[in-house]
Amino acid sequence: MSKSVNLFTIGFTQKKAEQFFETLIKAGVKRVIDTRLNNASQLAGFTKKQDLEYFLRRIGGIEYIHILDLAPTKEILDEYKKKRINWATYEERFNQLITERQIEKKVSPHLLDEGCLLCSEAKPHNCHRRLVAEYLQRQLDTAIKIHHL
């Protein structure tokens, strides 16, 4: 087995732009992998797609990529946000979704190494980025170390 892959995760809410970009740079992130369903919302502030891509490149020399297959469906997300389903049900449905999508075939260890899964949640506990990272850790034939920023 080759060297282990360092995979980071970060949420942008409750962070000022300075803290967000400094955290990524200090961690040595080379690529931000956007896992959001909607990355163009006005609520995204400095992390709107075109803005974020520009800021990452200019401030940290960091690549940006958006992989929609790593995002939940609108239905699963809405049901959770509207409290029609609890976290356990959300987690079960999301894990089923990414299993069906076979996301492990859509990302390579090279893409993930020094990459950072991005979504909005401030903490990883009840967030799909943690589920994506843990799923890939189980599925890929590479040792993956997950670091939540």
Side-chain angles (χ1 to χ4, degrees), residues 95-110:
N95 277 322
Q96 184 179 353
L97 176 70
I98 59 179
T99 301
E100 288 167 6
R101 287 178 175 168
Q102 296 184 309
I103 63 167
E104 68 276 11
K105 293 182 178 170
K106 295 170 181 164
V107 295
S108 66
H110 174 75

Side-chain angles (χ1 to χ4, degrees), residues 29-33 53 56-57 60-65 111:
V29 169
K30 302 283 183 255
R31 163 182 323 100
V32 165
I33 303 163
E53 191 168 0
L56 286 167
R57 189 176 63 247
I62 298 170
E63 184 186 346
Y64 171 87
I65 182 170
L111 182 80

Side-chain angles (χ1 to χ4, degrees), residues 57-72:
R57 189 176 63 247
R58 292 292 296 195
I59 295 169
I62 298 170
E63 184 186 346
Y64 171 87
I65 182 170
H66 184 218
I67 303 178
L68 207 49
D69 275 343
L70 305 184

Side-chain angles (χ1 to χ4, degrees), residues 37 72-82 84-85 90 93 97 101:
L37 183 62
T73 62
K74 186 173 179 353
E75 294 73 30
I76 294 173
L77 195 57
D78 284 350
E79 285 197 335
Y80 179 66
K81 282 184 174 175
K82 293 175 180 168
R84 288 194 205 116
I85 60 173
Y90 175 95
R93 288 193 190 166
L97 176 70
R101 287 178 175 168

Side-chain angles (χ1 to χ4, degrees), residues 122-140:
K123 302 269 186 254
H125 312 70
N126 288 6
C127 179
H128 76 279
R129 73 178 186 267
R130 175 181 62 82
L131 302 178
V132 167
E134 290 172 357
Y135 174 88
L136 293 171
Q137 192 177 46
R138 288 189 306 271
Q139 296 298 319
L140 291 174

